[in-house]
Amino acid sequence: MRITKAAFVGSSTRVEQKPARKLPEFAFIGRSNVGKSSLINMLAGNSKLAKTSQTPGKTQLVNHFLINDNWYLVDLPGYGYARLPDRERARLRHIIWDYINRSGELVMLFVLLDSRHDMQEVDLCFISELGEKGIPFAIIFTKGDKQGPTVLAAQVEKNKARLLEDWEELPPVFVSSSVTGAGKEEIVNYIGTVLQTL
């Protein structure tokens, strides 16, 4: 599949505020500063589609982007940003889980993890919660250009092994770089394959 058209169509804090047109939704989430907006822009082939920032916690709303006029790419706020006040963290958590729990059009949630680091407890807890709720998800390791291929592969395998301590089998796993474009074809083709099954 190729993404030939991408347009921002609305922001929301509650499911009732989503775009009225019902289409399959593929949502992206990760810890703050994991490179989510850059990845979304890379996948869509539009460097200005999702707003990028060096400041963690920039995404505060659920943002819908209409792709190829037949599905939505959904940009969710980041989780686990410890420097936010408790009240603000609770507000963002409510926005995130209101969408995940209540969006009937959500097909797949892509959980983004920084390929340079070990998975943190906040990542493991979030993924565990997805499992408890039966939410289909895949994992994308971001920033794959920041290390050499041997170190990158070793770190990814370490994190996959950690996941297998809690899961009988791994979800789909991708490695990406918004700088080199690595992973774009695999991720977009995977979404295309899922869309064909709906």
Side-chain angles (χ1 to χ4, degrees):
M1 182 178 72
R2 290 180 61 240
I3 292 179
T4 57
K5 188 175 181 182
F8 171 72
V9 290
S11 298
S12 61
T13 58
R14 300 193 313 275
V15 164
E16 290 81 6
Q17 300 169 338
K18 288 194 322 176
R21 187 180 175 194
K22 304 300 183 187
L23 294 169
E25 296 173 349
F26 294 81
F28 290 71
I29 194 168
R31 272 187 288 118
S32 298
N33 227 22
V34 76
K36 179 165 50 70
S37 297
S38 296
L39 175 71
I40 288 170
N41 290 342
M42 182 267 282
L43 293 177
N46 183 342
S47 63
K48 297 181 180 178
L49 190 67
K51 292 183 173 65
T52 60
S53 172
Q54 295 300 312
T55 305
K58 185 72 173 178
T59 305
Q60 302 273 314
L61 302 167
V62 175
N63 296 311
H64 275 69
F65 301 93
L66 179 60
I67 308 296
N68 292 352
D69 284 326
N70 65 1
W71 60 277
Y72 291 116
L73 188 160
V74 183
D75 183 10
L76 295 174
Y79 61 80
Y81 184 42
R83 292 173 65 180
L84 285 174
D86 288 347
R87 185 174 176 181
E88 187 66 12
R89 281 210 310 274
R91 186 182 74 85
L92 289 178
R93 176 178 169 80
H94 178 77
I95 290 171
I96 290 166
W97 284 104
D98 178 74
Y99 170 79
I100 293 174
N101 287 329
R102 298 178 58 228
S103 178
E105 289 70 47
L106 175 62
V107 173
M108 176 72 63
L109 183 64
F110 289 94
V111 180
L112 277 55
L113 303 168
D114 192 322
S115 66
R116 300 171 295 177
H117 306 304
D118 292 350
M119 294 179 67
Q120 294 186 9
E121 191 63 30
V122 66
D123 299 312
L124 294 166
C125 288
F126 182 79
I127 290 171
S128 177
E129 198 163 352
L130 293 177
E132 291 168 7
K133 295 176 181 293
I135 306 296
F137 72 96
I139 288 174
I140 301 176
F141 289 103
T142 62
K143 306 185 180 184
D145 59 292
K146 303 298 185 184
Q147 304 178 106
T150 303
V151 176
L152 170 64
Q155 184 63 52
V156 169
E157 287 304 313
K158 183 180 180 183
N159 281 321
K160 286 163 73 172
R162 176 63 187 87
L163 278 171
L164 284 171
E165 293 177 17
D166 301 323
W167 295 78
E168 291 183 4
E169 60 181 283
L170 289 172
V173 175
F174 304 92
V175 179
S176 71
S177 166
S178 59
V179 174
T180 67
K184 175 177 180 175
E185 186 174 352
E186 292 84 354
I187 296 166
V188 172
N189 284 345
Y190 175 71
I191 291 173
T193 299
V194 174
L195 282 170
Q196 288 176 359
T197 68
L198 300 178

